[in-house]
Amino acid sequence: MIKIGILGSTGSIGTQTLEIVRNNQDIQVMALAAGSSVRKMEEQIREFSPRIAVMWEEKAADELRMAVADTNTKVLSGMEGLLEIAVMEEMEVLVTAIVGMIGIRPTIAAIKAGKKIALANKETLVTAGHIIMPLAAEKKVSILPVDSEHSAIFQSLHGENRERVSKILLTASGGPFRGRKREELTEITVEDALKHPNWSMGRKITVDSATLVNKGLEVIEAKWLFGIEPEKIQVIVHPQSIIHSMVEYVDGGIMAQLGEPDMKLPIQYALFYPDRRPMKGRRVDFYELGSITFEKPDMETFRGLKMAYDAIGQGGSMPTVFNAANERAVSLFLDRKIKFLEIYDLIQGAMEHHKNIQNPSVDEILKAEAESYEYIDARRRL
Ligand code: NAD
Ligand code: MG
């Protein structure tokens, strides 16, 4: 029996993780956490009977407590609740499917408590990779990637000597606006940005895919997960999303992982690694597919990727500022308070404004996050 906890259980990755639980008899859900959706959480509690359920918002926790008073699930709230899940004795694997930097502290606490991490929450590694990866090595804890590209890289590294890797080839769909130029992006609406061609995901990551910020976050995530320098990570636009990423070795050989675009595969692979369990679903039909194509990313139009290389090049707290400014800017865009292209301007402004700190502690990371938010709020008041 694999005993898991899920942070972000009502979201896109969270609900797909629960679908895998439904399809496998030997996974038990010990804990669930979500932001504010009380109804969805109540349904999940009734179906999976976790020991603990956490709602981020206190009010939502109160409501949930009343709704599930007839069950044995203990309801908690806030960071305290997330941290309690992270160190729960009975839990072996923590699925971090929460969105944003809020995942840093629970992830660190879980690693300290010796829990395996199935990591979807890339913002955590982007901002605190220099703390998380050495800590995981020290505690002999595996960080298993859930992000599809990183799962593909992980699978392509299987059984190989990592010193023989020459390059990582990170694929990108290019998002809904691929091929457009800057002047064609000025009037993009929230609805346009939320139409991803291949993947159905949460709102924030869908906008990040449209700006290519997501691919930038993934370059940084890959650096930390696989200990490879960003110069050796090449982004390749591959609009059909069939090749999920590749690894090139010193002899020129390339290993790739392919499949239909379905997040359940990487989630399930992380949960059962190194086993591969059967999974229903569509299969790639190469006759039907006919061809797949590749392009160079347009980093002049989709500046998010270029800014990510710049942030990781500077290192220290700069990736935090890149990420935090993006989190704030995307939330303003989703609230229809700024235009699509302003997302880039706000990230760039925050990065230029920031005095970089090398090797930041968790407190310094959270301070850099708060300062980035303040910078954006102050700039918008001008
Ligand atoms: P989502 O918005 O669909 O879901 C987020 C979940 O986190 C929800 O359950 C929400 O209630 C919960 N949450 C938000 N704030 C919280 C808080 N403060 N406390 C507790 N719970 C909170 O997001 P998603 O698309 O599932 O993405 C989750 C993470 O996985 C992100 O880091 C994203 O980049 C990454 N990821 C997602 C996909 C995908 O296909 N959706 C693919 C790769 C990586
Ligand atoms: Mg991805």
Side-chain angles (χ1 to χ4, degrees):
M1 192 61 84
I2 304 174
K3 297 181 171 171
I4 69 167
I6 308 173
L7 304 185
S9 63
T10 58
S12 158
I13 296 287
T15 51
Q16 294 183 84
T17 306
L18 289 170
E19 227 174 295
I20 292 164
V21 175
R22 277 188 202 107
N23 297 335
N24 288 276
Q25 301 312 311
D26 53 350
I27 314 181
Q28 193 181 349
V29 177
M30 306 307 294
L32 298 171
S36 55
S37 30
V38 175
R39 287 296 145 254
K40 267 196 191 165
M41 182 58 98
E42 182 186 348
E43 280 169 27
Q44 293 184 348
I45 291 175
R46 296 201 182 278
E47 182 176 357
F48 297 99
S49 310
R51 302 258 168 90
I52 303 180
V54 170
M55 299 305 302
W56 177 255
E57 290 170 17
E58 186 58 51
K59 209 174 125 257
D62 285 342
E63 227 179 282
L64 181 67
R65 218 168 269 129
M66 304 229 281
V68 300
D70 60 319
T71 70
N72 292 323
T73 301
K74 178 165 95 172
V75 178
L76 303 170
S77 67
M79 184 53 76
E80 220 172 288
L82 299 183
L83 292 173
E84 188 157 331
I85 291 183
V87 303
M88 238 178 126
E89 207 167 313
E90 312 89 319
M91 182 192 70
E92 302 156 64
V93 184
L94 183 65
V95 181
T96 61
I98 215 163
V99 57
M101 288 175 66
I102 199 95
I104 296 177
R105 290 180 58 205
T107 306
I108 291 177
I111 296 171
K112 284 188 177 157
K115 313 298 183 192
K116 261 191 216 167
I117 309 290
L119 185 133
N121 178 218
K122 62 189 87 181
E123 295 91 344
T124 290
L125 267 193
V126 166
T127 55
H130 61 289
I131 296 170
I132 286 171
M133 294 313 289
L135 183 67
E138 183 196 322
K139 299 285 174 192
K140 300 196 170 48
V141 158
S142 321
I143 311 270
L144 298 157
V146 166
D147 210 342
S148 58
E149 295 78 2
H150 303 75
S151 176
I153 295 162
F154 186 63
Q155 294 177 56
S156 302
L157 286 167
H158 201 77
E160 301 281 353
N161 179 351
R162 293 210 180 184
E163 284 172 14
R164 298 301 191 207
V165 169
S166 57
K167 192 164 154 189
I168 283 178
L169 305 161
L170 189 77
T171 53
S173 71
F177 310 132
R178 181 178 58 89
R180 293 203 203 173
K181 290 292 164 206
R182 195 178 161 82
E183 52 283 5
E184 296 168 278
L185 296 175
T186 49
E187 300 309 321
I188 292 297
T189 64
V190 171
E191 289 70 24
D192 297 331
L194 288 179
K195 270 186 222 128
H196 195 281
N198 304 338
W199 298 95
S200 146
M201 310 181 283
R203 284 154 58 89
K204 189 244 175 196
I205 184 176
T206 304
V207 176
D208 289 352
S209 298
T211 56
L212 283 201
V213 164
N214 181 53
K215 213 41 62 177
L217 295 172
E218 290 185 353
V219 167
I220 306 176
E221 185 185 10
K223 172 202 152 73
W224 291 117
L225 276 173
F226 307 113
I228 190 149
E229 288 314 308
E231 305 82 73
K232 291 187 172 175
I233 306 174
Q234 184 184 7
V235 173
I236 297 171
V237 175
H238 160 44
Q240 299 82 14
S241 298
I242 294 295
I243 301 181
H244 298 312
S245 278
M246 309 179 253
V247 178
E248 184 193 283
Y249 290 90
V250 288
D251 58 358
I254 297 171
M255 304 299 285
Q257 188 257 342
L258 288 73
E260 284 287 326
D262 180 349
M263 285 308 295
K264 285 200 292 306
L265 193 155
I267 300 170
Q268 177 167 292
Y269 190 78
L271 291 177
F272 290 107
Y273 174 80
D275 194 10
R276 264 186 205 279
R277 287 288 179 89
M279 199 170 88
K280 293 204 177 74
R282 272 172 64 100
R283 298 293 186 254
V284 176
D285 179 338
F286 286 93
Y287 290 165
E288 192 187 311
L289 193 62
S291 61
I292 51 177
T293 56
F294 305 95
E295 296 164 19
K296 196 172 168 181
D298 174 359
M299 293 205 232
E300 298 308 318
T301 305
F302 300 97
R303 289 151 62 206
L305 183 54
K306 200 193 225 172
M307 289 191 283
Y309 275 108
D310 181 25
I312 192 62
Q314 295 185 53
S317 51
M318 204 52 88
T320 294
V321 174
F322 169 72
N323 177 71
N326 178 62
E327 283 188 21
R328 184 60 134 226
V330 169
S331 120
L332 289 167
F333 171 71
L334 286 170
D335 289 343
R336 300 170 204 273
K337 298 211 168 103
I338 62 168
K339 292 197 160 188
F340 184 75
L341 288 173
E342 279 180 85
I343 297 174
Y344 297 133
D345 301 336
L346 291 177
I347 301 172
Q348 190 171 342
M351 284 174 63
E352 282 167 5
H353 182 257
H354 180 64
K355 282 202 187 57
N356 201 7
I357 307 165
Q358 286 305 324
N359 206 14
S361 64
V362 172
D363 286 344
E364 286 169 327
I365 291 169
L366 298 177
K367 199 164 156 240
E369 177 194 33
E371 282 173 9
S372 310
Y373 289 178
E374 278 160 27
Y375 164 82
I376 289 182
D377 295 347
R379 190 170 141 157
R380 294 195 62 251
R381 277 196 298 271
L382 289 180

